[in-house]
Amino acid sequence: MKKNILIAQSGGPTSAINATLSGVILEGIRNDTIGMVYGALNGIQGIMDNRIIRLDNQLLDDSDFRHLECTPAMALGSCRYRLPQYDIAPDIYKLIAQTMQNLDIGYFFYIGGNDSMDTAQKLFTYFNENNIDIKVIGIPKTIDNDLVLTDHTPGFGSAAKYIATSMLEIIRDAQVYDMQSVLIVEIMGRNAGWLTASSVLPRTMGNSAPHLIYLPEVPFHLDQFIKDVKAEQQHYNAVVIAVSEGLKLADGRYVAEEEINQSVDAFGHKHLSGVGQYLEHYIHDKLGCKVRSVELSVLQRCAAHLLSGTDIAQSRQIGSSAVKAALAGENGKMMAYKRISDRPYIVDIETVDLALVANAEKPFPADWITPNGHDVTDAAIDYLLPLIADEVSYPTFNGMPVHFQFDKTPIA
Amino acid sequence: MKKNILIAQSGGPTSAINATLSGVILEGIRNDTIGMVYGALNGIQGIMDNRIIRLDNQLLDDSDFRHLECTPAMALGSCRYRLPQYDIAPDIYKLIAQTMQNLDIGYFFYIGGNDSMDTAQKLFTYFNENNIDIKVIGIPKTIDNDLVLTDHTPGFGSAAKYIATSMLEIIRDAQVYDMQSVLIVEIMGRNAGWLTASSVLPRTMGNSAPHLIYLPEVPFHLDQFIKDVKAEQQHYNAVVIAVSEGLKLADGRYVAEEEINQSVDAFGHKHLSGVGQYLEHYIHDKLGCKVRSVELSVLQRCAAHLLSGTDIAQSRQIGSSAVKAALAGENGKMMAYKRISDRPYIVDIETVDLALVANAEKPFPADWITPNGHDVTDAAIDYLLPLIADEVSYPTFNGMPVHFQFDKTPIA
């Protein structure tokens, strides 16, 4: 008897999350033992609210799949809702299970970051303990690249490509005037320096810049920072600096902590912005030279006009592999990439236990940070380069990218 | 007897200014009556300092020209130096003329905005009054599109394409959560609203957003702004707003100057925040909903990974036409675009008097702003759409764009 698929997307947007969705839908359509492919709107909340749409009949040909794969941010919508522990809210678990059983769901796929893997792990445990036959597979996505037990995460490569390309162009822009200046680029990644480290890549194109790279894994010292900038100014007119939004002082406080709005989201994360601006003022005060800060902001996660071809191909493939794994009986797992080699670049897809991934974070490796604390090593470059390789030609209309949009009318 | 060309670039960077340089060099090489093509580094300052390089022998084949055309920011460097009046600094004029005569320059091309056209006009007048046979032609460039007597300016189309595309992606990003939110995008153009108006273009792709567009040509009222946002919130969960960096209150002060207690940073300095950030805090205060601001920043003028094919083709052509005009005896002119029709899109290139362009500004037309003051009309869309048409496939290496760089060793 055929079983149906339910899929949902959660957490923060990436440019590649819909390529994974595309892979799941395509594999679901292709496979004879699968009935229909459903999508929940706004993640797990759409299951609780019974806002579920059918997907397999909305993608009619190759060009629909291609449009979906070039569309940034969750095509099904997202949520920041985190499933409470079972003993606190058993009714939510029962509601979710009932909704899925009503739709004859045999396989549930949740695409998200480590918070979402926690939700997937809790559902897996509940289904398992209550003999509910719904396989649960998590599929990673996060531009932050901070999930453990996977070489990298879908979405990171495209974000890294956007950062590397933008940094390259900002370097050109910073160098046009014949005067001393400092340019600070603030990059996402609250706790992990993967994205900020990607700003090094323009150096492989014959640039000396960026000259200084500060990751959140290294305690930040304002005095040393000024010394670092002065040292670079001995060599370069335009000093270009990459900083993580999450830079912390030795005492653990964020660098810009006094100046930021201390709002806290549902997970207790502080909303950060402003370290670039803070350091801009600091340099202006201490060195008096021309200084500007640029925040790359949300385009890092949604600039689908600059997708990594490698990222999109792998993101589609990991979605497809997730369906195959579930059909082969895997359950309570997250799909993961395993790197076989850098050159030639070879990656396998495997499964790891959800329980080992949920809530864990993978920092940028200490041995890929140079001893001076303001640069990354060649090993980091070797790791990063394959992830931004290849371009994606996206469909356009009126000179702008064409995005795919589902009809979001819930099934009766 | 063959005469040589001297060319220089000035003002703020654009993504298309090197396509114009490419057009001038190519036409110079192609034309039998031209000897060599020289470039001054950092605009008029490079002529004063005798920092001049040879260009025609550095572009060897089609791919060099293509690389140069896809390279953002001035390949020759720029300056913000403005030539003083002759009676204040006659020696500077004599120095410039002498340097050009030493190199047997017959034609001088200055690529820049209205400040640069003022410099070109002054040199033209000086040469003319002193019987110095050097023809002076200005070639426009500015992302701001605020030069008079030309339909548009080289560089504007690519900046508008970047803004339209980024806005489209930011709209996708803003809509993923099922909650009320406001997203403010701050766009360049201190006095003219052309760039901010370009943010309307995603609406031609089936989007309701952006919902509100505020140009610097319309006095800004904070009370009315909050009313406008509330009205949009009746219809849309995620309200997306485009604001010009140059928004002014009715009394002429910039909006961010309104802040009575301006933030004082850790160093005791008052800082005027950007208007986007200011309005973000204002909405948060007044409406309490989730709100974020994004500043598109310098990428608007240097994101050459997203060039407008129309802009680059026209920018090259206007450079080539400038050489032809000078050879035909034109002098003291700026090259200009004249639009013949929107559909089909037909543009001629003509010349206008430098004196009429220098220091003048062209605001966004009042009759293209809707009566409510927070949107633009269909006529604006008809004007803008052809300018962002067509994509440019740029050369890549390591997954990043390849930029052209001149050997900047000055000639002996």
Side-chain angles (χ1 to χ4, degrees):
Chain A
M1 207 188 76
K2 290 190 180 190
K3 285 279 185 180
N4 299 322
I5 280 176
L6 180 63
I7 181 165
Q9 300 173 308
S10 178
T14 79
S15 295
I17 192 166
N18 293 323
T20 300
L21 178 63
S22 166
V24 169
I25 298 171
L26 190 62
E27 196 62 37
I29 291 174
R30 201 186 274 168
N31 200 298
D32 289 342
T33 65
I34 300 291
M36 287 184 275
V37 182
Y38 294 108
L41 301 180
N42 299 109
I44 199 84
Q45 276 195 318
I47 308 177
M48 290 156 59
D49 308 340
N50 211 9
R51 286 184 297 118
I52 291 170
I53 64 174
R54 204 172 138 196
L55 302 177
D56 54 292
N57 62 353
Q58 294 202 46
L59 293 155
L60 303 179
D61 54 28
D62 281 358
S63 95
D64 284 343
F65 281 95
R66 182 164 160 250
H67 286 199
L68 177 59
E69 289 169 9
C70 294
T71 299
M74 291 75 171
L76 300 177
S78 185
C79 70
R80 287 281 187 193
Y81 180 80
R82 190 173 184 169
L83 205 55
Q85 296 291 350
Y86 175 77
D87 49 7
I88 294 172
D91 289 352
I92 292 178
Y93 286 75
K94 287 170 192 162
L95 175 64
I96 289 171
Q98 192 58 57
T99 301
M100 290 198 194
Q101 285 170 325
N102 291 346
L103 289 170
D104 210 10
I105 302 300
Y107 313 95
F108 173 58
F109 301 96
Y110 208 34
I111 315 178
N114 52 20
D115 290 334
S116 309
M117 294 308 137
D118 177 71
T119 289
Q121 163 66 15
K122 284 171 177 158
L123 281 180
F124 159 69
T125 305
Y126 173 73
F127 293 162
N128 203 35
E129 288 174 356
N130 292 275
N131 296 313
I132 296 169
D133 184 21
I134 300 172
K135 307 250 182 313
V136 177
I137 302 281
I139 314 179
K141 76 79 221 169
T142 166
I143 61 164
D144 290 332
N145 202 36
D146 60 351
L147 295 193
V148 298
L149 298 181
T150 183
D151 176 71
H152 59 282
T153 55
F156 171 68
S158 294
K161 189 183 186 84
Y162 179 81
I163 290 164
T165 301
S166 300
M167 178 59 94
L168 187 61
E169 293 167 338
I170 288 171
I171 290 166
R172 286 284 95 70
D173 188 276
Q175 292 173 338
V176 298
Y177 296 112
D178 186 25
M179 61 185 289
Q180 206 161 60
S181 66
V182 174
L183 195 286
I184 301 167
V185 180
E186 180 183 322
I187 298 171
M188 281 182 165
R190 193 183 286 113
N191 297 317
W194 299 99
L195 289 171
T196 304
S198 307
S199 70
V200 74
L201 295 176
R203 238 190 271 146
T204 68
M205 308 284 282
N207 297 284
S208 59
H211 305 100
L212 299 165
I213 299 173
Y214 297 96
L215 307 183
E217 285 83 357
V218 181
F220 189 80
H221 300 277
L222 283 162
D223 289 351
Q224 185 58 46
F225 173 64
I226 292 296
K227 281 181 200 160
D228 295 345
V229 175
K230 276 183 173 169
E232 295 301 324
Q233 285 184 325
Q234 301 304 307
H235 304 287
Y236 306 106
N237 243 346
V239 173
V240 178
I241 305 170
V243 299
S244 160
E245 64 174 348
L247 287 187
K248 291 178 204 72
L249 302 169
D251 63 10
R253 283 180 310 143
Y254 288 110
V255 168
E257 195 142 10
E258 291 125 336
E259 295 211 326
I260 57 163
N261 182 357
Q262 306 248 0
S263 61
V264 166
D265 72 15
F267 303 127
H269 299 152
K270 279 178 181 171
H271 276 305
L272 276 191
S273 68
V275 64
Q277 208 173 40
Y278 180 86
L279 294 176
E280 174 188 338
H281 298 158
Y282 193 78
I283 288 179
H284 190 262
D285 190 59
K286 298 291 178 186
L287 302 178
C289 60
K290 184 187 163 198
V291 53
R292 184 199 277 269
S293 65
V294 174
E295 194 185 339
L296 293 185
S297 196
V298 296
L299 282 160
Q300 291 164 89
R301 66 187 196 193
C302 67
H305 68 272
L306 200 57
L307 296 168
S308 154
T310 300
D311 185 25
I312 295 305
Q314 290 183 343
S315 295
R316 184 197 309 117
Q317 202 190 346
I318 206 170
S320 163
S321 298
V323 176
K324 290 178 187 164
L327 286 170
E330 299 249 40
N331 196 2
K333 302 287 184 179
M334 184 186 83
M335 307 306 297
Y337 296 126
K338 182 178 180 182
R339 186 180 301 220
I340 309 301
S341 76
D342 289 336
R343 292 177 199 172
Y345 176 60
I346 303 173
V347 165
D348 274 353
I349 293 178
E350 60 181 5
T351 60
V352 297
D353 283 346
L354 271 174
L356 299 176
V357 178
N359 305 313
E361 282 186 338
K362 182 173 72 176
F364 189 80
D367 59 349
W368 287 1
I369 301 170
T370 54
N372 59 24
H374 56 63
D375 206 345
V376 301
T377 67
D378 287 348
I381 293 174
D382 289 342
Y383 168 83
L384 292 166
L385 271 180
L387 304 180
I388 70 162
D390 295 333
E391 287 67 56
V392 174
S393 160
Y394 51 86
T396 60
F397 178 74
N398 277 353
M400 289 171 278
V402 177
H403 294 155
F404 187 89
Q405 300 208 55
F406 285 108
D407 175 353
K408 291 191 176 173
T409 314
I411 51 174
Chain B
M1 207 189 74
K2 290 189 179 191
K3 285 280 186 180
N4 299 323
I5 281 177
L6 180 63
I7 181 165
Q9 300 173 308
S10 178
T14 79
S15 295
I17 191 165
N18 293 323
T20 300
L21 179 62
S22 167
V24 170
I25 299 171
L26 190 61
E27 196 62 37
I29 292 174
R30 202 186 275 168
N31 200 296
D32 289 342
T33 65
I34 299 291
M36 287 182 276
V37 182
Y38 294 108
L41 301 181
N42 300 109
I44 199 83
Q45 276 195 317
I47 308 177
M48 291 157 59
D49 307 341
N50 211 9
R51 286 184 297 119
I52 291 170
I53 65 174
R54 205 174 137 194
L55 303 176
D56 53 292
N57 62 352
Q58 294 202 47
L59 294 155
L60 303 179
D61 55 27
D62 282 358
S63 95
D64 285 343
F65 281 95
R66 182 164 159 250
H67 286 199
L68 178 59
E69 289 170 10
C70 295
T71 299
M74 291 75 170
L76 300 177
S78 185
C79 70
R80 288 281 186 195
Y81 181 80
R82 192 172 180 169
L83 205 54
Q85 296 291 349
Y86 174 76
D87 48 7
I88 295 172
D91 289 352
I92 292 177
Y93 286 76
K94 287 169 191 162
L95 175 65
I96 289 171
Q98 192 58 58
T99 301
M100 290 197 193
Q101 286 171 324
N102 291 346
L103 290 170
D104 209 11
I105 301 300
Y107 313 96
F108 173 58
F109 300 97
Y110 208 34
I111 315 178
N114 52 20
D115 288 339
S116 310
M117 294 309 137
D118 177 71
T119 289
Q121 162 66 15
K122 284 171 178 160
L123 281 180
F124 160 69
T125 304
Y126 173 74
F127 292 162
N128 203 35
E129 289 173 356
N130 292 275
N131 295 314
I132 295 169
D133 184 22
I134 300 172
K135 307 250 182 314
V136 177
I137 302 280
I139 314 178
K141 77 79 221 168
T142 166
I143 62 164
D144 290 332
N145 202 36
D146 60 351
L147 294 193
V148 298
L149 297 180
T150 184
D151 176 72
H152 59 281
T153 56
F156 171 68
S158 293
K161 190 184 186 83
Y162 179 81
I163 290 165
T165 301
S166 300
M167 179 59 95
L168 187 62
E169 293 168 337
I170 288 171
I171 290 166
R172 286 285 94 71
D173 188 276
Q175 292 173 338
V176 299
Y177 296 113
D178 186 27
M179 60 184 289
Q180 206 160 61
S181 66
V182 175
L183 195 286
I184 301 168
V185 180
E186 180 182 322
I187 297 171
M188 280 182 165
R190 198 146 271 276
N191 298 315
W194 297 99
L195 289 172
T196 304
S198 307
S199 69
V200 73
L201 296 176
R203 238 191 271 145
T204 68
M205 307 285 282
N207 297 285
S208 59
H211 305 99
L212 299 165
I213 299 173
Y214 297 96
L215 308 183
E217 284 84 357
V218 181
F220 189 80
H221 300 277
L222 283 162
D223 290 350
Q224 185 59 45
F225 173 64
I226 292 295
K227 281 182 200 158
D228 295 344
V229 175
K230 277 183 173 170
E232 295 301 323
Q233 285 184 325
Q234 301 304 308
H235 303 288
Y236 306 107
N237 244 346
V239 174
V240 178
I241 305 171
V243 299
S244 159
E245 62 174 350
L247 287 186
K248 290 178 205 74
L249 301 168
D251 64 11
R253 284 178 307 147
Y254 286 110
V255 168
E257 279 179 72
E258 152 81 8
E259 208 165 3
I260 311 288
N261 298 309
Q262 283 174 7
S263 65
V264 175
D265 69 19
F267 326 110
H269 294 159
K270 283 185 178 179
H271 289 286
L272 204 58
S273 59
V275 63
Q277 205 173 43
Y278 177 82
L279 294 175
E280 173 189 339
H281 296 153
Y282 193 78
I283 288 179
H284 188 78
D285 249 27
K286 299 289 178 187
L287 302 178
C289 60
K290 185 188 163 197
V291 52
R292 184 199 277 270
S293 65
V294 175
E295 195 185 338
L296 293 185
S297 197
V298 295
L299 283 160
Q300 291 164 88
R301 66 187 196 193
C302 67
H305 68 272
L306 199 58
L307 296 168
S308 154
T310 300
D311 185 26
I312 294 305
Q314 290 182 344
S315 294
R316 184 197 308 117
Q317 202 190 348
I318 206 169
S320 163
S321 298
V323 176
K324 289 177 187 164
L327 287 170
E330 298 248 40
N331 196 2
K333 303 287 183 179
M334 183 187 84
M335 306 307 296
Y337 296 127
K338 182 177 180 182
R339 186 180 302 219
I340 309 302
S341 77
D342 288 337
R343 293 177 199 173
Y345 176 61
I346 303 172
V347 166
D348 274 354
I349 293 178
E350 59 181 7
T351 58
V352 297
D353 283 345
L354 270 174
L356 300 177
V357 179
N359 306 313
E361 280 185 339
K362 182 173 73 176
F364 190 80
D367 59 348
W368 287 1
I369 301 171
T370 55
N372 59 25
H374 57 62
D375 206 346
V376 301
T377 67
D378 286 348
I381 293 174
D382 289 342
Y383 168 83
L384 291 166
L385 271 180
L387 304 180
I388 71 161
D390 295 333
E391 287 67 56
V392 174
S393 160
Y394 51 86
T396 60
F397 178 73
N398 277 352
M400 290 172 278
V402 177
H403 294 154
F404 186 89
Q405 300 209 54
F406 285 108
D407 174 353
K408 292 191 175 173
T409 314
I411 52 175

